[in-house]
Short mmCIF file of all heavy atoms in Angstrom, two decimals:
data_model
loop_
_atom_site.label_atom_id
_atom_site.label_comp_id
_atom_site.label_asym_id
_atom_site.label_seq_id
_atom_site.Cartn_x
_atom_site.Cartn_y
_atom_site.Cartn_z
N ASP A 1649 -11.19 -19.32 29.91
CA ASP A 1649 -12.53 -18.81 29.95
C ASP A 1649 -13.44 -19.57 28.87
O ASP A 1649 -14.61 -19.24 28.73
CB ASP A 1649 -12.52 -17.36 29.64
CG ASP A 1649 -11.99 -16.51 30.78
OD1 ASP A 1649 -11.97 -17.12 31.94
OD2 ASP A 1649 -11.55 -15.44 30.61
N GLY A 1650 -12.86 -20.50 28.08
CA GLY A 1650 -13.65 -21.27 27.22
C GLY A 1650 -13.70 -20.71 25.79
O GLY A 1650 -14.55 -21.17 25.02
N ALA A 1651 -12.78 -19.80 25.49
CA ALA A 1651 -12.82 -19.22 24.10
C ALA A 1651 -12.28 -20.23 23.10
O ALA A 1651 -11.26 -20.83 23.33
CB ALA A 1651 -11.98 -17.94 24.02
N GLY A 1652 -13.08 -20.43 22.03
CA GLY A 1652 -12.60 -21.25 20.93
C GLY A 1652 -11.65 -20.56 20.07
O GLY A 1652 -11.23 -19.41 20.23
N GLY A 1653 -11.23 -21.27 18.99
CA GLY A 1653 -10.26 -20.70 18.02
C GLY A 1653 -10.75 -19.40 17.31
O GLY A 1653 -10.10 -18.48 17.26
N LEU A 1654 -11.99 -19.57 16.81
CA LEU A 1654 -12.53 -18.39 16.06
C LEU A 1654 -12.79 -17.19 17.00
O LEU A 1654 -12.62 -16.09 16.64
CB LEU A 1654 -13.74 -18.84 15.28
CG LEU A 1654 -13.62 -19.73 14.08
CD1 LEU A 1654 -14.91 -20.10 13.50
CD2 LEU A 1654 -12.64 -19.14 13.10
N GLN A 1655 -13.34 -17.53 18.17
CA GLN A 1655 -13.66 -16.42 19.16
C GLN A 1655 -12.31 -15.78 19.59
O GLN A 1655 -12.31 -14.53 19.71
CB GLN A 1655 -14.31 -17.04 20.32
CG GLN A 1655 -15.77 -17.49 20.08
CD GLN A 1655 -16.40 -18.05 21.38
OE1 GLN A 1655 -15.76 -18.55 22.26
NE2 GLN A 1655 -17.78 -17.97 21.40
N MET A 1656 -11.27 -16.55 19.81
CA MET A 1656 -10.02 -15.96 20.25
C MET A 1656 -9.45 -15.14 19.12
O MET A 1656 -8.91 -14.03 19.31
CB MET A 1656 -8.99 -17.05 20.58
CG MET A 1656 -7.73 -16.58 21.23
SD MET A 1656 -6.66 -17.96 21.64
CE MET A 1656 -7.72 -18.84 22.74
N LEU A 1657 -9.62 -15.58 17.86
CA LEU A 1657 -9.10 -14.78 16.73
C LEU A 1657 -9.88 -13.48 16.58
O LEU A 1657 -9.24 -12.40 16.37
CB LEU A 1657 -9.18 -15.62 15.47
CG LEU A 1657 -8.75 -14.95 14.11
CD1 LEU A 1657 -7.29 -14.59 14.19
CD2 LEU A 1657 -9.10 -15.83 12.92
N ARG A 1658 -11.24 -13.56 16.70
CA ARG A 1658 -12.03 -12.37 16.40
C ARG A 1658 -12.08 -11.37 17.51
O ARG A 1658 -12.08 -10.14 17.31
CB ARG A 1658 -13.46 -12.86 16.05
CG ARG A 1658 -14.39 -11.74 15.70
CD ARG A 1658 -15.70 -12.35 15.12
NE ARG A 1658 -16.34 -13.26 16.05
CZ ARG A 1658 -17.27 -12.93 16.93
NH1 ARG A 1658 -17.66 -11.61 16.98
NH2 ARG A 1658 -17.84 -13.77 17.69
N ARG A 1659 -12.03 -11.82 18.77
CA ARG A 1659 -12.16 -10.98 19.87
C ARG A 1659 -10.90 -10.59 20.65
O ARG A 1659 -10.89 -9.68 21.45
CB ARG A 1659 -13.21 -11.56 20.87
CG ARG A 1659 -14.55 -11.78 20.31
CD ARG A 1659 -15.53 -12.33 21.37
NE ARG A 1659 -16.85 -12.50 20.82
CZ ARG A 1659 -17.92 -12.86 21.62
NH1 ARG A 1659 -17.71 -13.22 22.91
NH2 ARG A 1659 -19.07 -13.05 21.00
N ILE A 1660 -9.84 -11.34 20.43
CA ILE A 1660 -8.54 -11.11 21.17
C ILE A 1660 -7.46 -10.72 20.22
O ILE A 1660 -6.84 -9.68 20.33
CB ILE A 1660 -8.23 -12.31 22.07
CG1 ILE A 1660 -9.34 -12.54 23.06
CG2 ILE A 1660 -6.92 -12.14 22.71
CD1 ILE A 1660 -9.12 -13.69 23.97
N ILE A 1661 -7.11 -11.68 19.29
CA ILE A 1661 -5.89 -11.47 18.53
C ILE A 1661 -6.07 -10.38 17.51
O ILE A 1661 -5.18 -9.47 17.44
CB ILE A 1661 -5.54 -12.84 17.76
CG1 ILE A 1661 -5.21 -13.91 18.79
CG2 ILE A 1661 -4.44 -12.61 16.85
CD1 ILE A 1661 -4.89 -15.26 18.21
N LEU A 1662 -7.17 -10.36 16.67
CA LEU A 1662 -7.34 -9.27 15.78
C LEU A 1662 -7.43 -7.85 16.39
O LEU A 1662 -6.84 -6.94 15.82
CB LEU A 1662 -8.57 -9.60 14.89
CG LEU A 1662 -8.40 -10.80 13.89
CD1 LEU A 1662 -9.64 -11.00 13.04
CD2 LEU A 1662 -7.19 -10.70 13.00
N PRO A 1663 -8.15 -7.70 17.51
CA PRO A 1663 -8.13 -6.40 18.14
C PRO A 1663 -6.73 -5.99 18.58
O PRO A 1663 -6.38 -4.77 18.45
CB PRO A 1663 -9.10 -6.55 19.29
CG PRO A 1663 -10.05 -7.63 18.88
CD PRO A 1663 -9.21 -8.58 18.05
N ILE A 1664 -5.90 -6.91 19.12
CA ILE A 1664 -4.59 -6.58 19.47
C ILE A 1664 -3.75 -6.15 18.29
O ILE A 1664 -2.94 -5.26 18.34
CB ILE A 1664 -3.93 -7.77 20.23
CG1 ILE A 1664 -4.64 -7.97 21.55
CG2 ILE A 1664 -2.46 -7.45 20.53
CD1 ILE A 1664 -4.08 -9.16 22.32
N LEU A 1665 -3.93 -6.87 17.17
CA LEU A 1665 -3.19 -6.51 15.94
C LEU A 1665 -3.79 -5.47 15.09
O LEU A 1665 -3.37 -5.18 13.96
CB LEU A 1665 -3.06 -7.84 15.12
CG LEU A 1665 -2.26 -8.97 15.65
CD1 LEU A 1665 -2.24 -10.09 14.79
CD2 LEU A 1665 -0.85 -8.56 16.07
N ARG A 1666 -4.85 -4.81 15.58
CA ARG A 1666 -5.56 -3.82 14.74
C ARG A 1666 -4.67 -2.72 14.19
O ARG A 1666 -4.80 -2.42 12.97
CB ARG A 1666 -6.76 -3.19 15.59
CG ARG A 1666 -7.53 -2.19 14.80
CD ARG A 1666 -8.74 -1.73 15.66
NE ARG A 1666 -9.52 -0.79 14.90
CZ ARG A 1666 -9.25 0.52 14.87
NH1 ARG A 1666 -8.16 1.02 15.55
NH2 ARG A 1666 -9.98 1.36 14.14
N PRO A 1667 -3.82 -2.07 14.98
CA PRO A 1667 -2.88 -1.04 14.35
C PRO A 1667 -2.10 -1.59 13.18
O PRO A 1667 -1.91 -0.90 12.15
CB PRO A 1667 -2.00 -0.55 15.47
CG PRO A 1667 -2.83 -0.98 16.73
CD PRO A 1667 -3.49 -2.23 16.41
N VAL A 1668 -1.56 -2.81 13.32
CA VAL A 1668 -0.78 -3.41 12.26
C VAL A 1668 -1.64 -3.73 11.02
O VAL A 1668 -1.27 -3.42 9.86
CB VAL A 1668 -0.07 -4.69 12.73
CG1 VAL A 1668 0.70 -5.42 11.60
CG2 VAL A 1668 0.83 -4.39 13.94
N LEU A 1669 -2.84 -4.24 11.30
CA LEU A 1669 -3.74 -4.62 10.10
C LEU A 1669 -4.22 -3.40 9.42
O LEU A 1669 -4.32 -3.42 8.17
CB LEU A 1669 -4.89 -5.40 10.66
CG LEU A 1669 -4.54 -6.74 11.36
CD1 LEU A 1669 -5.85 -7.37 11.89
CD2 LEU A 1669 -3.84 -7.67 10.38
N VAL A 1670 -4.41 -2.26 10.15
CA VAL A 1670 -4.93 -1.06 9.48
C VAL A 1670 -3.85 -0.53 8.51
O VAL A 1670 -4.16 -0.20 7.35
CB VAL A 1670 -5.28 -0.03 10.52
CG1 VAL A 1670 -5.56 1.31 9.87
CG2 VAL A 1670 -6.60 -0.49 11.24
N ILE A 1671 -2.64 -0.48 8.98
CA ILE A 1671 -1.59 0.13 8.16
C ILE A 1671 -1.28 -0.80 6.99
O ILE A 1671 -1.02 -0.36 5.81
CB ILE A 1671 -0.27 0.41 8.95
CG1 ILE A 1671 0.73 1.15 8.08
CG2 ILE A 1671 0.24 -0.85 9.55
CD1 ILE A 1671 0.32 2.47 7.59
N LEU A 1672 -1.37 -2.15 7.20
CA LEU A 1672 -1.13 -3.11 6.09
C LEU A 1672 -2.22 -2.94 5.01
O LEU A 1672 -1.96 -2.94 3.78
CB LEU A 1672 -1.09 -4.46 6.64
CG LEU A 1672 0.21 -4.91 7.39
CD1 LEU A 1672 0.05 -6.32 7.88
CD2 LEU A 1672 1.40 -4.78 6.49
N LEU A 1673 -3.48 -2.85 5.47
CA LEU A 1673 -4.58 -2.68 4.47
C LEU A 1673 -4.50 -1.34 3.78
O LEU A 1673 -4.72 -1.28 2.54
CB LEU A 1673 -5.92 -2.70 5.26
CG LEU A 1673 -7.20 -2.51 4.44
CD1 LEU A 1673 -7.31 -3.63 3.37
CD2 LEU A 1673 -8.42 -2.54 5.30
N LEU A 1674 -4.12 -0.30 4.43
CA LEU A 1674 -3.90 1.00 3.82
C LEU A 1674 -2.84 0.92 2.74
O LEU A 1674 -3.03 1.37 1.59
CB LEU A 1674 -3.55 2.08 4.85
CG LEU A 1674 -3.18 3.42 4.28
CD1 LEU A 1674 -4.37 4.07 3.56
CD2 LEU A 1674 -2.75 4.33 5.42
N LEU A 1675 -1.69 0.30 3.02
CA LEU A 1675 -0.62 0.24 2.06
C LEU A 1675 -1.04 -0.66 0.88
O LEU A 1675 -0.73 -0.31 -0.24
CB LEU A 1675 0.61 -0.42 2.75
CG LEU A 1675 1.32 0.49 3.80
CD1 LEU A 1675 2.46 -0.33 4.44
CD2 LEU A 1675 1.88 1.70 3.13
N GLN A 1676 -1.79 -1.73 1.14
CA GLN A 1676 -2.21 -2.55 0.08
C GLN A 1676 -3.18 -1.84 -0.87
O GLN A 1676 -3.12 -1.96 -2.07
CB GLN A 1676 -2.92 -3.85 0.59
CG GLN A 1676 -1.94 -4.86 1.19
CD GLN A 1676 -0.91 -5.35 0.17
OE1 GLN A 1676 0.28 -5.44 0.48
NE2 GLN A 1676 -1.31 -5.61 -1.04
N MET A 1677 -4.10 -1.07 -0.36
CA MET A 1677 -5.00 -0.33 -1.15
C MET A 1677 -4.26 0.75 -2.03
O MET A 1677 -4.64 0.95 -3.18
CB MET A 1677 -6.01 0.35 -0.20
CG MET A 1677 -6.98 -0.64 0.48
SD MET A 1677 -8.10 0.20 1.66
CE MET A 1677 -9.15 1.13 0.61
N ILE A 1678 -3.31 1.41 -1.43
CA ILE A 1678 -2.57 2.38 -2.19
C ILE A 1678 -1.79 1.68 -3.29
O ILE A 1678 -1.76 2.19 -4.45
CB ILE A 1678 -1.60 3.16 -1.23
CG1 ILE A 1678 -2.46 4.06 -0.29
CG2 ILE A 1678 -0.63 4.09 -2.01
CD1 ILE A 1678 -1.62 4.76 0.70
N TRP A 1679 -1.13 0.59 -2.99
CA TRP A 1679 -0.34 -0.07 -4.05
C TRP A 1679 -1.23 -0.63 -5.11
O TRP A 1679 -0.94 -0.52 -6.33
CB TRP A 1679 0.46 -1.21 -3.36
CG TRP A 1679 1.56 -0.74 -2.52
CD1 TRP A 1679 2.19 0.43 -2.53
CD2 TRP A 1679 2.20 -1.42 -1.44
NE1 TRP A 1679 3.17 0.57 -1.53
CE2 TRP A 1679 3.21 -0.59 -0.77
CE3 TRP A 1679 2.01 -2.75 -0.85
CZ2 TRP A 1679 3.99 -0.99 0.17
CZ3 TRP A 1679 2.81 -3.16 0.20
CH2 TRP A 1679 3.82 -2.27 0.76
N ASP A 1680 -2.30 -1.23 -4.72
CA ASP A 1680 -3.23 -1.85 -5.73
C ASP A 1680 -3.99 -0.77 -6.54
O ASP A 1680 -4.30 -1.10 -7.75
CB ASP A 1680 -4.22 -2.77 -5.05
CG ASP A 1680 -3.61 -3.94 -4.37
OD1 ASP A 1680 -2.48 -4.27 -4.72
OD2 ASP A 1680 -4.18 -4.50 -3.47
N LEU A 1681 -4.12 0.35 -6.04
CA LEU A 1681 -4.77 1.43 -6.82
C LEU A 1681 -3.81 1.99 -7.83
O LEU A 1681 -4.29 2.36 -8.99
CB LEU A 1681 -5.27 2.57 -5.90
CG LEU A 1681 -5.91 3.78 -6.53
CD1 LEU A 1681 -7.30 3.34 -7.13
CD2 LEU A 1681 -6.13 4.93 -5.54
N ARG A 1682 -2.55 2.01 -7.58
CA ARG A 1682 -1.61 2.67 -8.48
C ARG A 1682 -0.84 1.59 -9.32
O ARG A 1682 0.17 1.94 -9.95
CB ARG A 1682 -0.58 3.45 -7.70
CG ARG A 1682 -1.23 4.56 -6.84
CD ARG A 1682 -0.12 5.37 -6.12
NE ARG A 1682 0.80 4.54 -5.42
CZ ARG A 1682 1.97 4.97 -4.97
NH1 ARG A 1682 2.31 6.23 -5.17
NH2 ARG A 1682 2.75 4.11 -4.26
N VAL A 1683 -1.28 0.35 -9.33
CA VAL A 1683 -0.59 -0.72 -9.99
C VAL A 1683 -0.44 -0.36 -11.48
O VAL A 1683 -1.41 0.15 -12.14
CB VAL A 1683 -1.25 -2.04 -9.81
CG1 VAL A 1683 -2.70 -2.07 -10.41
CG2 VAL A 1683 -0.45 -3.14 -10.40
N TYR A 1684 0.73 -0.61 -12.02
CA TYR A 1684 1.01 -0.31 -13.38
C TYR A 1684 1.81 -1.40 -14.15
O TYR A 1684 1.30 -1.89 -15.21
CB TYR A 1684 1.88 1.01 -13.54
CG TYR A 1684 2.43 1.20 -14.96
CD1 TYR A 1684 1.52 1.69 -15.99
CD2 TYR A 1684 3.71 0.92 -15.24
CE1 TYR A 1684 2.08 1.81 -17.24
CE2 TYR A 1684 4.20 1.05 -16.55
CZ TYR A 1684 3.36 1.55 -17.58
OH TYR A 1684 3.83 1.71 -18.81
N ALA A 1685 2.88 -1.84 -13.53
CA ALA A 1685 3.75 -2.78 -14.29
C ALA A 1685 3.10 -4.10 -14.66
O ALA A 1685 3.21 -4.53 -15.83
CB ALA A 1685 5.05 -3.06 -13.40
N GLN A 1686 2.35 -4.71 -13.73
CA GLN A 1686 1.75 -5.99 -14.03
C GLN A 1686 0.70 -5.86 -15.11
O GLN A 1686 0.60 -6.76 -16.04
CB GLN A 1686 1.17 -6.57 -12.77
CG GLN A 1686 2.14 -7.02 -11.72
CD GLN A 1686 2.55 -5.93 -10.76
OE1 GLN A 1686 2.38 -4.79 -11.04
NE2 GLN A 1686 3.04 -6.32 -9.60
N ILE A 1687 -0.12 -4.80 -15.04
CA ILE A 1687 -1.14 -4.62 -16.00
C ILE A 1687 -0.58 -4.29 -17.40
O ILE A 1687 -0.96 -4.82 -18.44
CB ILE A 1687 -2.12 -3.39 -15.65
CG1 ILE A 1687 -2.68 -3.70 -14.23
CG2 ILE A 1687 -3.18 -3.21 -16.65
CD1 ILE A 1687 -3.51 -4.90 -14.15
N SER A 1688 0.50 -3.48 -17.45
CA SER A 1688 1.16 -3.16 -18.71
C SER A 1688 1.77 -4.43 -19.31
O SER A 1688 1.68 -4.63 -20.58
CB SER A 1688 2.22 -2.07 -18.47
OG SER A 1688 2.92 -1.75 -19.69
N LEU A 1689 2.42 -5.22 -18.51
CA LEU A 1689 3.02 -6.48 -19.10
C LEU A 1689 1.99 -7.46 -19.55
O LEU A 1689 2.17 -8.09 -20.61
CB LEU A 1689 3.92 -7.06 -18.04
CG LEU A 1689 5.23 -6.31 -17.72
CD1 LEU A 1689 6.01 -6.86 -16.55
CD2 LEU A 1689 6.15 -6.20 -18.96
N LEU A 1690 0.90 -7.55 -18.81
CA LEU A 1690 -0.19 -8.43 -19.28
C LEU A 1690 -0.78 -8.02 -20.57
O LEU A 1690 -1.14 -8.79 -21.45
CB LEU A 1690 -1.29 -8.46 -18.19
CG LEU A 1690 -1.06 -9.52 -17.03
CD1 LEU A 1690 -2.27 -9.50 -16.10
CD2 LEU A 1690 -0.82 -10.93 -17.54
N GLN A 1691 -0.95 -6.64 -20.74
CA GLN A 1691 -1.40 -6.13 -21.94
C GLN A 1691 -0.46 -6.41 -23.12
O GLN A 1691 -0.85 -6.62 -24.25
CB GLN A 1691 -1.59 -4.56 -21.88
CG GLN A 1691 -2.80 -4.22 -20.97
CD GLN A 1691 -2.91 -2.70 -20.84
OE1 GLN A 1691 -2.00 -1.96 -21.25
NE2 GLN A 1691 -3.98 -2.26 -20.26
N GLY A 1692 0.86 -6.47 -22.81
CA GLY A 1692 1.85 -6.77 -23.84
C GLY A 1692 1.81 -8.25 -24.17
O GLY A 1692 2.27 -8.65 -25.31
N PHE A 1693 1.17 -9.07 -23.39
CA PHE A 1693 1.07 -10.53 -23.69
C PHE A 1693 -0.08 -10.81 -24.67
O PHE A 1693 -0.26 -11.97 -24.98
CB PHE A 1693 0.97 -11.35 -22.45
CG PHE A 1693 2.16 -11.35 -21.64
CD1 PHE A 1693 2.04 -11.54 -20.25
CD2 PHE A 1693 3.38 -11.23 -22.13
CE1 PHE A 1693 3.12 -11.57 -19.36
CE2 PHE A 1693 4.52 -11.19 -21.33
CZ PHE A 1693 4.45 -11.39 -19.95
N GLY A 1694 -0.86 -9.75 -25.05
CA GLY A 1694 -1.88 -10.00 -26.03
C GLY A 1694 -3.21 -9.34 -25.78
O GLY A 1694 -4.14 -9.75 -26.50
N ALA A 1695 -3.40 -8.49 -24.83
CA ALA A 1695 -4.66 -7.89 -24.62
C ALA A 1695 -4.45 -6.33 -24.45
O ALA A 1695 -3.86 -5.90 -23.49
CB ALA A 1695 -5.36 -8.40 -23.32
N ARG A 1696 -4.86 -5.57 -25.40
CA ARG A 1696 -4.71 -4.15 -25.38
C ARG A 1696 -5.98 -3.46 -25.56
O ARG A 1696 -7.00 -4.00 -26.06
CB ARG A 1696 -3.75 -3.74 -26.47
CG ARG A 1696 -2.28 -4.22 -26.29
CD ARG A 1696 -1.39 -3.71 -27.34
NE ARG A 1696 -0.05 -4.19 -27.21
CZ ARG A 1696 0.83 -3.59 -26.43
NH1 ARG A 1696 0.56 -2.48 -25.73
NH2 ARG A 1696 2.10 -4.12 -26.29
N GLY A 1697 -6.02 -2.18 -25.16
CA GLY A 1697 -7.23 -1.37 -25.34
C GLY A 1697 -7.78 -0.80 -23.99
O GLY A 1697 -7.25 -1.17 -22.95
N GLU A 1698 -8.68 0.11 -24.08
CA GLU A 1698 -9.19 0.82 -22.93
C GLU A 1698 -9.95 -0.16 -21.98
O GLU A 1698 -10.02 0.04 -20.74
CB GLU A 1698 -10.14 1.91 -23.32
CG GLU A 1698 -9.45 3.07 -24.07
CD GLU A 1698 -10.42 4.10 -24.48
OE1 GLU A 1698 -11.62 4.01 -24.20
OE2 GLU A 1698 -9.97 5.17 -25.00
N ARG A 1699 -10.46 -1.31 -22.47
CA ARG A 1699 -11.21 -2.20 -21.66
C ARG A 1699 -10.23 -2.86 -20.64
O ARG A 1699 -10.72 -3.47 -19.62
CB ARG A 1699 -11.90 -3.34 -22.47
CG ARG A 1699 -12.92 -2.72 -23.40
CD ARG A 1699 -13.78 -3.83 -23.93
NE ARG A 1699 -12.93 -4.88 -24.59
CZ ARG A 1699 -13.38 -6.11 -24.91
NH1 ARG A 1699 -14.59 -6.49 -24.52
NH2 ARG A 1699 -12.55 -7.02 -25.46
N TYR A 1700 -8.96 -2.85 -20.86
CA TYR A 1700 -7.96 -3.56 -20.03
C TYR A 1700 -7.19 -2.51 -19.19
O TYR A 1700 -6.10 -2.90 -18.70
CB TYR A 1700 -7.08 -4.40 -20.84
CG TYR A 1700 -7.81 -5.34 -21.76
CD1 TYR A 1700 -8.07 -4.99 -23.11
CD2 TYR A 1700 -8.27 -6.58 -21.30
CE1 TYR A 1700 -8.69 -5.89 -23.97
CE2 TYR A 1700 -8.91 -7.42 -22.15
CZ TYR A 1700 -9.21 -7.02 -23.48
OH TYR A 1700 -9.88 -7.95 -24.35
N ASP A 1701 -7.57 -1.26 -19.19
CA ASP A 1701 -6.79 -0.26 -18.44
C ASP A 1701 -7.24 -0.11 -17.05
O ASP A 1701 -8.44 -0.15 -16.76
CB ASP A 1701 -7.02 1.17 -19.17
CG ASP A 1701 -5.97 1.35 -20.32
OD1 ASP A 1701 -4.89 0.71 -20.23
OD2 ASP A 1701 -6.27 2.13 -21.18
#
Side-chain angles (χ1 to χ4, degrees):
D1649 290 338
L1654 292 178
Q1655 290 180 333
M1656 187 178 303
L1657 176 65
R1658 183 167 57 92
R1659 298 185 178 181
I1660 297 176
I1661 295 178
L1662 291 183
I1664 294 176
L1665 297 179
R1666 183 176 178 274
V1668 177
L1669 297 178
V1670 169
I1671 187 62
L1672 287 175
L1673 179 60
L1674 174 63
L1675 291 175
Q1676 286 303 134
M1677 293 173 69
I1678 293 175
W1679 292 336
D1680 295 340
L1681 180 66
R1682 303 184 308 168
V1683 63
Y1684 168 77
Q1686 291 89 339
I1687 303 300
S1688 179
L1689 290 172
L1690 277 181
Q1691 290 177 350
F1693 292 152
R1696 295 183 180 274
E1698 295 181 356
R1699 296 193 305 163
Y1700 308 96
D1701 272 336

